[in-house]
Each structure stands twice: as structure tokens, then as C-alpha cells.
Amino acid sequence: MASTLRADIPVSELLKNDPKNWGRWGADDEIGALNFLTQAEVLRGVQAVRQGKTFTLQVVIGHPKGDPVWPGRAQPVRVNVMDKGHYLCGKGPAFPGHAEYADDMLIMYLQGSTQYDALGHVWCDDQLYNGYDARTTAGKMTKASVLPIAERGIVGRGILIDMARHRDKPVLDRGETFTHEDLLAAAARQGAAIEKHDILLIRTGWIGSFYERDKTEFYSNFIEPGLTYSPELVKWFHEMEIPNLVTDTIANEVTADPISGVVLPLHNALMRNLGITFTEITALDALADDCMTDGQWTFLYTAAPLKVSGGTGAPVNPVVIK
């Protein structure tokens, strides 16, 4: 659809009539919609476990075919600092008993793999989630960082919506969009239902396709498929009290809104305004294949990002139990 609004419309103008959860859990809250995941919600998630199957959702760091990262971010770099070569050269440390060891280090963006965004990661009008001053991000985040999310952890009932299968294709096209109504239609086709407080996992096939595609082609005219902004979609997320959005894309939404031209408006509409945690770059293909095979699309979802003080995000390896 052609843009009908100014391409330079401020995101705050686009979202001016949308709901906010600021102050809902107090002036000092830094975990947002995760507050919906009460002990009762954890038990509801446990009740979704039927078979004992487990799936891990993190992509491999340092994959031989490269790592999917936001354009402009550097690839993770893993470096050996100790290995057998040091001992062969006579430079390995000697220990009583003659044990040897290997050691390495990793240099990466905190959002350079499967990861949780801090609620203060993206903002507009100089205010983060819950109204915190954007100046609290200077040097390190002192408000709405990833640390409170990591200290709390995320546990609840998850549901996978396979949008790629719903549209009968292995991967959604570049820039292909869908709405909450499409999510509901896909859920109905799967024989499942999205319930209030569900952790929402959406498969597009995009990240899985990264490892099979030419990287120049993958990043050329970069625009991911994903959810697209509308006031109705934001209202639905608000009313459903969704605590966590998880997708197999780098940014959880279509890169640029096709109507306004605004880049990543849902980061402000859902994360900044409603406090919904974003989990990005997840590996959902194996889980989706299994759900298609056994017909079970709901499960216990558990995750805890690394506890990084002042972090804008942190890597995570979510575990799903069916």
C-alpha cells in the first residue's frame, strides 16, 4: 500500500491516541507487562505441559554461516585465548598433575543473538517506558534496563502462531505484513486459541531462511516481514494483556510501517507504551514442525536473559516444554 501520511511523521504523533500502562504498577516499575505473569499464570503454563518434550529457542552464536544481526551491527567474534596450541609451543600454564585446558572469549552486541530488549531500549519524546527520563540511558541504563527483567525471569503459557504455514509458504516475503486479526485466523486454523496473558510466539520463517540465503540478498533493501501498526492492533494487545512478544525476526515487526513510513513503531507502541517485553531472533522452525506434527500449539515458556547491569538487552536461550 502506498504511503498516505508524511514519511517524517513523528512516532509520538502516530501513537498519540494509543493506550499506555505507565504507572499501572507504580512509579518505580521496570518490568511492565511481565507483572501479568503471576503465580497463577505460571501454573496455567505448567498445565500446558503434556508430553515432556523440550525445545531451546536460541540461535547459535558464531554459526558457520554467520549470525543474523540488525544491519550495521557487527557479527559476534569468538576468540580462543588458551588451547592445545599454547601447550605445544611451551606457553601453556603448568599445574600440579599436568592438567591442561582451553579458554575463550566472546565480543558481541548484547542484542547480537536471541535476546530480550530492555523496556528502555527504544523511546520517543525523551521518555522511556513508565515515563523515565531518556537521560537515564547516558553511560548505562539506570532505569528500565534489562536487569530487572533478567532478575525476574519469564514463565507462563506460550502459544505459537505459525504465520508462514498459515499463508502456505516456508517463509514470509520481504516486507510482508500481518495484523492481530491474521493471528486470530491462524490460531483458529491451528485449532488453538490465544488467551489473555499468553506469551505470544510468532513464526515467519525469516530467521530460519537466513542460513539458506545469500547474505547480500538477505540484507539488500532490508525490510523484514512482521506485524504492522494500527490503533486496533495496539488496542488488542492492551486488552489481551500480552506480557511478551517473541518472533523469529530481528526486530519483531515489519521494519517500516507501510502507511506512515515510521521505522519500528511497535517498539514504541507496545514496548515503550505498554511495557510488553520483546524477544527477537528466536529459532522457531523445529518447534513449529513439532507443533504441526502433534497438534499441540501451547506449552510452558520459560526464559531468563543474562543479568547485565545497565544493559539495553541481553542474550537468552528460552526453553519451551510441551
Side-chain angles (χ1 to χ4, degrees):
M1 182 182 296
S3 176
T4 58
L5 299 177
R6 302 189 317 273
D8 62 346
I9 181 175
V11 66
S12 56
E13 177 69 18
L14 184 68
L15 310 182
K16 65 181 180 181
N17 296 319
D18 288 350
K20 292 180 180 177
N21 279 330
W22 294 9
R24 183 169 184 168
W25 299 285
D28 297 325
D29 179 65
E30 297 182 72
I31 63 169
L34 292 183
N35 283 288
F36 292 129
L37 294 179
T38 62
Q39 290 178 315
E41 290 300 329
V42 172
L43 293 176
R44 188 170 70 95
V46 171
Q47 291 167 3
V49 177
R50 304 174 194 169
Q51 306 177 67
K53 295 179 181 178
T54 60
F55 296 84
T56 60
L57 305 185
Q58 184 183 13
V59 300
V60 174
I61 297 176
H63 195 285
K65 295 183 178 180
D67 293 22
V69 296
W70 182 258
R73 286 179 177 156
Q75 290 279 303
V77 178
R78 194 203 57 78
V79 181
N80 271 22
V81 296
M82 183 64 63
D83 54 35
K84 182 63 178 178
H86 292 79
Y87 293 96
L88 293 174
C89 295
K91 295 182 179 181
F95 296 104
H98 307 291
E100 300 176 355
Y101 73 101
D103 215 350
D104 55 3
M105 62 181 291
L106 182 65
I107 304 169
M108 64 179 292
Y109 277 83
L110 287 174
Q111 297 172 358
S113 180
T114 308
Q115 50 83 28
Y116 269 80
D117 280 348
L119 290 184
H121 171 50
V122 174
W123 66 87
C124 59
D125 288 349
D126 292 328
Q127 287 185 298
L128 316 180
Y129 165 72
N130 215 25
Y132 294 121
D133 192 318
R135 288 176 290 186
T136 59
T137 65
K140 63 182 290 187
M141 300 188 75
T142 57
K143 292 292 185 181
S145 78
V146 77
L147 183 59
I149 293 172
E151 290 178 327
R152 187 188 192 283
I154 303 94
V155 181
R157 192 185 96 138
I159 181 169
L160 176 66
I161 303 300
D162 195 337
M163 282 304 303
R165 274 193 171 87
H166 178 61
R167 292 186 173 172
D168 299 316
K169 55 179 67 174
V171 55
L172 296 188
D173 297 330
R174 186 185 308 274
E176 184 172 350
T177 63
F178 50 90
T179 70
H180 62 293
E181 293 178 341
D182 294 312
L183 296 179
L184 293 171
R189 184 177 177 184
Q190 293 173 183
I194 303 171
E195 298 180 0
K196 203 169 187 177
H197 300 160
D198 275 351
I199 296 168
L200 184 57
L201 287 71
I202 305 173
R203 176 183 174 268
T204 67
W206 186 253
I207 289 298
S209 76
F210 169 85
Y211 302 100
E212 307 303 324
R213 296 163 70 168
D214 175 79
K215 300 310 176 282
T216 300
E217 181 272 332
F218 182 84
Y219 284 111
S220 177
N221 300 315
F222 186 78
I223 180 168
E224 294 189 290
L227 287 166
T228 188
Y229 169 80
S230 71
E232 294 77 18
L233 179 138
V234 176
K235 180 182 178 182
W236 181 82
F237 270 88
H238 186 235
E239 292 177 347
M240 292 297 290
E241 297 179 344
I242 299 297
N244 190 181
L245 175 63
V246 183
T247 79
D248 64 344
T249 63
I250 298 173
N252 269 9
E253 58 177 305
V254 66
T255 307
D257 174 49
I259 303 299
S260 68
V262 170
V263 172
L264 303 181
L266 294 181
H267 273 63
N268 275 291
L270 301 184
M271 185 168 65
R272 177 213 186 231
N273 288 357
L274 297 182
I276 296 172
T277 52
F278 276 25
T279 314
E280 299 160 333
I281 319 181
T282 51
L284 298 179
D285 292 346
L287 175 61
D289 288 345
D290 191 76
C291 291
M292 185 64 187
T293 298
D294 65 17
Q296 182 182 340
W297 298 89
T298 59
F299 35 76
L300 176 66
Y301 175 95
T302 66
L306 297 180
K307 296 181 180 180
V308 180
S309 176
T312 65
V316 67
N317 185 16
V319 178
V320 158
I321 308 172
K322 294 179 69 177

